[in-house]
Amino acid sequence: MRLVPRSLAGQLTLLLLLTLVVAQGVAVALFAWERVEAVRHAHRDNVIARTANVAQLLTDTPPALHSTVVAAASTHRTQFSLTGEPLVRTAGAGGPAAAIARELAAALGVDRGQVRVGPVWARFDDDDGDHDHHDDHLDDDDDDRFHGHDHDDGHASWRLRWFAASVALPDRRWLNVAVAPPPGAPWGVTFLMSFILSALGTAGVAVVMGRRIARPMRHLAAAASQFGRGEDVEPLREAGPSDVRATIRAFNLMRERLDRYVRDRMAMLAAVSHDLRTPITSLRLHAELVDDDDTRRKMINALDEMQRMTEEMLAFVRVDLRRERTERVDLPALVDSVVGDLADLGHAVSAEMSERVVVGARPTALRRALRNLLENAAIHGGRAVARVLRVEGGCVAVVVEDTGPGIPESEQGRVFEPFVRLEESRSRDTGGTGLGLAIARTIVRAHGGDIQLENMVDGGLRVTVVLPEADSG
């Protein structure tokens, strides 16, 4: 399973999503921290105000009611007690403890020395097992009075205390307060829902933007593939970011220049081939006047060969200059048609039954390539059999097998070069111009395919034409 998508749109979407997730995570963390800090400040201010009110009540009420006042003021998170000695023996050295002591002294209107605040966030396990973690600022028995072990109020002891404070009263007693951590999580259901909805919204925007940015590149890739197969490609519309627009503009310019270059070369080649007809005809007339029969025959044969080369080149150039449109072609039907035409001319060729396979091709050009291959196999291999089959990679293959001597591996690359003919094919009866295989490979490669040669174990040559299969539809 691939975690990173292959497509440009997928990778852009993933990049945008990761960026948005990181940004959203940082924003959530900052929001949660600010919310926690706000809750802490509110809880601290509430404790300070309550402590000041309790101290004032203890001052204004008779001593007999003091225990009742302390019990009534205590809650699950804020517990008060009255002792003869301060339960916080030494004040905390940290900045938060000093700040709480300063604000508590200001609220009570007493001197800073009459207020002691213990360390903030002290951890303890006060089950009389002496497993305390607050540096002995409070006695174990005093801790029990703070945290409910000696009370019948049903409150469980705290595992983590926010802070504790002792305030000196006018009657020389000490009002002690122990405060639990602030209540509530940094987020609730509403916050989580808003976070999820915003995450989904940003994800949707990321997907849309990723596809929008990648769409021009997909069109460019499709156009480049079509252009590589020799198909006509209209100029692409420049769209997308500036870098993509520049790439599309460069592709349009390259396509225009290459197309103009190829057409100029083909037009020049056609003109040369056409102009050669006149001197060849003139030479033929002069050859007929030669008295020596053997010399005349050799000259006429040479001129006939030049004529065939000229005609083949003109035929190939005409097909290219015609700019035939690409169509959906039933490949087995096309092969059967070519085999039928060659069989009518007396060649020993046949085709095996094949399932229907469709390719995108220029019918006339592809027909010429297949005809050259089958005719070459029938002439030099004695007998040719063709079949169509599907191969891996979304391609199809036309396999042509003959019963001839094959081609040495060292020569298999050369046979596709123009005007190259092997020794076995140089007789006037079988030898061609040396352009048939070169033209066939040029046409096949212009369709995005290729031709492979292979000598079979039992003798003969196997020619495989591989073409991309057309999309279904």
Side-chain angles (χ1 to χ4, degrees):
M1 178 180 177
R2 290 183 58 87
L3 298 180
V4 179
R6 294 179 181 271
S7 65
L8 176 62
Q11 293 186 8
L12 285 174
T13 300
L14 179 62
L15 177 62
L16 289 173
L17 285 177
L18 290 177
T19 303
L20 291 171
V21 165
V22 171
Q24 195 83 344
V26 172
V28 168
L30 293 176
F31 176 84
W33 176 256
E34 291 179 356
R35 179 164 179 169
V36 167
E37 286 298 308
V39 171
R40 287 178 182 174
H41 280 85
H43 189 46
R44 185 184 65 184
D45 294 344
N46 179 64
V47 169
I48 291 173
R50 180 178 293 182
T51 302
N53 290 335
V54 171
Q56 185 63 42
L57 283 175
L58 293 176
T59 303
D60 296 341
T61 57
L65 298 178
H66 285 181
S67 59
T68 303
V69 172
V70 169
S74 297
T75 64
H76 178 58
R77 295 188 175 276
T78 306
Q79 297 182 2
F80 293 94
S81 66
L82 280 172
T83 58
E85 296 293 331
L87 298 184
V88 179
R89 294 192 299 275
T90 56
I100 294 174
R102 185 169 52 254
E103 293 183 14
L104 188 56
L108 293 169
V110 298
D111 184 73
R112 171 68 177 77
Q114 295 180 262
V115 177
R116 299 179 183 180
V117 178
V120 176
W121 296 113
R123 186 179 296 277
F124 57 87
D125 188 6
D126 60 343
D127 55 357
D128 294 333
D130 294 330
H131 188 195
D132 302 314
H133 301 282
H134 43 72
D135 301 328
D136 290 335
H137 288 276
L138 302 179
D139 291 332
D140 289 347
D141 293 340
D142 296 333
D143 266 352
D144 290 341
R145 285 197 296 276
F146 269 136
H147 305 305
H149 282 283
D150 295 333
H151 297 287
D152 295 328
D153 58 1
H155 296 319
S157 63
W158 308 324
R159 305 292 298 178
L160 184 67
R161 184 185 62 234
W162 189 18
F163 69 89
S166 295
V167 177
L169 298 177
D171 59 1
R172 298 183 180 276
R173 289 186 300 171
W174 291 82
L175 173 63
N176 307 290
V177 58
V179 184
W187 46 70
V189 176
T190 302
F191 172 77
L192 289 177
M193 289 300 297
S194 63
F195 173 74
I196 292 174
L197 291 176
S198 62
L200 292 176
T202 53
V205 172
V207 170
V208 172
M209 291 301 298
R211 290 181 176 275
R212 182 178 180 275
I213 294 173
R215 187 181 299 114
M217 296 302 296
R218 289 199 301 270
H219 294 165
L220 177 61
S225 178
Q226 292 176 348
F227 187 65
R229 294 195 298 268
E231 301 178 17
D232 283 333
V233 178
E234 296 295 330
L236 296 178
R237 184 177 67 88
E238 297 179 10
S242 59
D243 294 341
V244 177
R245 289 173 179 266
T247 303
I248 296 175
R249 190 180 306 115
F251 172 80
N252 288 334
L253 184 60
M254 178 197 68
R255 180 200 61 78
E256 181 182 352
R257 289 175 176 174
L258 283 176
D259 188 66
R260 184 170 60 247
Y261 172 78
V262 171
R263 291 182 67 84
D264 289 346
R265 291 288 296 271
M266 285 296 180
M268 182 180 64
L269 187 58
V272 172
S273 300
H274 183 272
D275 291 344
L276 282 175
R277 286 177 167 183
T278 300
I280 290 175
T281 302
S282 177
L283 288 173
R284 188 181 187 90
L285 292 175
H286 285 83
E288 293 290 346
L289 301 176
V290 175
D291 294 331
D292 185 75
D293 293 339
D294 186 57
T295 302
R296 183 174 61 253
R297 185 176 64 255
K298 290 180 179 179
M299 292 179 64
I300 291 175
N301 287 339
L303 290 171
D304 287 341
E305 186 175 356
M306 291 179 63
Q307 185 70 31
R308 287 196 304 270
M309 292 173 60
T310 303
E311 294 298 334
E312 284 197 18
M313 187 58 65
L314 273 174
F316 173 66
V317 171
R318 287 194 190 101
V319 171
D320 189 88
L321 291 178
R322 193 183 303 164
R323 308 301 294 177
E324 184 181 9
R325 297 188 63 84
T326 299
E327 302 175 7
R328 294 175 63 84
V329 177
D330 187 338
L331 190 56
L334 181 62
V335 172
D336 288 339
S337 177
V338 175
V339 167
D341 292 344
L342 293 176
D344 292 340
L345 295 176
H347 294 294
V349 295
S350 63
E352 296 181 356
M353 293 294 295
S354 306
E355 62 176 320
R356 186 175 186 271
V357 177
V358 178
V359 296
R362 297 182 294 282
T364 303
L366 185 57
R367 182 186 186 88
R368 178 176 179 81
L370 295 175
R371 182 187 178 93
N372 287 356
L373 293 174
L374 286 165
E375 189 174 24
N376 185 78
I379 292 175
H380 304 296
R383 178 175 179 80
V385 179
R387 66 180 184 273
V388 180
L389 50 89
R390 283 190 171 90
V391 294
E392 61 183 5
C395 296
V396 296
V398 179
V399 181
V400 179
E401 298 176 349
D402 61 43
T403 57
I407 299 177
E409 291 187 6
S410 60
E411 300 289 339
Q412 289 181 2
R414 293 184 61 244
V415 297
F416 291 108
E417 297 177 7
F419 308 111
V420 170
R421 295 177 294 175
L422 302 185
E423 293 296 331
E424 293 82 358
S425 67
R426 289 189 175 181
S427 68
R428 296 303 179 189
D429 296 332
T430 62
T433 63
L435 289 173
L437 292 180
I439 292 174
R441 189 171 69 168
T442 299
I443 293 174
V444 170
R445 286 185 172 179
H447 284 78
D450 206 352
I451 301 179
Q452 303 167 0
L453 302 182
E454 178 187 5
N455 289 320
M456 295 186 291
V457 177
D458 298 332
L461 181 69
R462 178 184 292 120
V463 180
T464 304
V465 179
V466 181
L467 294 168
E469 185 175 5
D471 296 334
S472 59

